[in-house]
Amino acid sequence: MHFLSDELDNYVVAHSENEPELLQQLTRETYQKILQPRMLSGHYQGRVLSIISKLINPKNILEIGTYTGYSALCLAEGMQRDGELHTIDINEELVDFQRSYFDKSDYGHQIHQHLGSALDIIPELDKTFDLVFIDADKPNYVNYFHVIIDKLNTGGVILSDNVLWSGKILDKVKKDDTSTQTLLDYNKLLKEDTRIETVLLPIRDGLTISRKV
């Protein structure tokens, strides 16, 4: 979604933190070799994720939806020195690609990859989390919320990506469009659930910050 003109958008990016060199390399290789490279968080949103993580300074981070590892590396920048980041993805073909970049970073030994369904994996994790990032299959967003809320520490934060869904949340939902309908239900849930306080930011395709009270 384009809320700003290209000129203003360029100004915003130019006056935000620079993209680290490793993430520039990751972006280039993703665009060269991987399908759907627009799924990357990218420079600006990556810096948003980084600074939120640094403000929270989480001990344990959970990411649902790894893709090529860009957002995980951004979130890891704010992690405590003895912390862990657990990232889950269902695409076996990307595991080695992700690990190659994790190991080039300062956080490789702290990042744990999980392959399979997040709904099966999360209940098996003997951890509670200070920061959760949801950026996976949209029809399961509500399910993800319910499976993680009791593993989120008080004061912990859930970041939810793509909650504006290219503006489709304002359109009449087609009968077979489960992604848009689920996002509508999810946004309503985040607004109304008394266990959290939420603000929806019009950053890129929509990023919600929800804090457990």
Side-chain angles (χ1 to χ4, degrees):
M1 295 191 68
H2 298 284
F3 300 103
L4 302 176
S5 67
D6 288 343
E7 291 82 1
L8 275 175
D9 190 66
N10 291 337
Y11 183 88
V12 168
V13 173
H15 289 80
S16 299
E17 283 296 305
N18 294 333
E19 185 180 32
E21 174 59 32
L22 180 63
L23 293 178
Q24 293 179 36
Q25 295 173 14
L26 173 52
T27 297
R28 286 193 294 269
E29 190 169 358
T30 298
Y31 271 83
Q32 290 168 354
K33 300 179 179 179
I34 309 297
L35 293 174
Q36 297 181 297
R38 66 187 297 272
M39 289 172 58
L40 276 175
S41 292
H43 176 185
Y44 177 67
Q45 185 169 332
R47 292 305 88 204
V48 172
L49 296 178
S50 170
I51 203 163
I52 290 174
S53 184
K54 288 171 181 174
L55 289 168
I56 296 169
N57 190 216
K59 182 174 176 81
N60 291 319
I61 302 172
L62 174 64
E63 178 183 56
I64 305 174
T66 315
Y67 190 47
T68 56
Y70 191 105
S71 53
L73 290 171
C74 294
L75 294 167
E77 292 175 23
M79 184 169 48
Q80 295 179 23
R81 290 191 176 187
D82 60 345
E84 295 183 354
L85 188 152
H86 292 261
T87 183
I88 304 169
D89 204 279
I90 204 164
N91 190 342
E92 184 177 3
E93 294 179 0
L94 293 177
V95 171
D96 291 341
F97 186 100
Q98 298 158 6
R99 177 48 60 186
S100 69
Y101 277 91
F102 293 158
D103 287 345
K104 291 176 186 176
S105 76
D106 295 333
Y107 323 104
H109 64 290
Q110 296 171 272
I111 298 177
H112 305 277
Q113 296 163 281
H114 301 271
L115 179 65
S117 167
L119 296 176
D120 295 331
I121 292 168
I122 293 170
E124 300 300 318
L125 295 177
D126 188 22
K127 294 276 181 187
T128 58
F129 297 94
D130 306 301
L131 178 59
V132 176
F133 182 46
I134 303 176
D135 186 17
D137 56 312
K138 311 314 166 194
N140 270 317
Y141 265 40
V142 171
N143 296 328
Y144 292 145
F145 176 85
H146 289 307
V147 81
I148 65 172
I149 188 63
D150 290 334
K151 286 183 171 288
L152 186 67
N153 295 323
T154 300
V157 168
I158 301 171
L159 302 175
S160 309
D161 199 17
N162 304 119
V163 291
L164 295 180
W165 205 223
S166 299
K168 293 179 184 178
I169 43 87
L170 296 179
D171 299 333
K172 183 177 179 180
V173 181
K174 296 179 181 178
K175 190 174 182 179
D176 59 348
D177 188 354
T178 55
S179 293
T180 301
Q181 185 57 57
T182 301
L183 285 171
L184 287 168
D185 296 339
Y186 183 70
N187 291 340
K188 186 173 185 288
L189 170 64
L190 295 186
K191 169 67 175 174
E192 296 179 353
D193 195 300
T194 58
R195 292 171 292 181
I196 56 173
E197 52 186 2
T198 290
V199 61
L200 197 164
L201 303 177
I203 293 174
R204 293 298 189 259
D205 197 25
L207 181 71
T208 300
I209 303 177
S210 304
R211 176 182 175 271
K212 190 171 181 180
V213 296

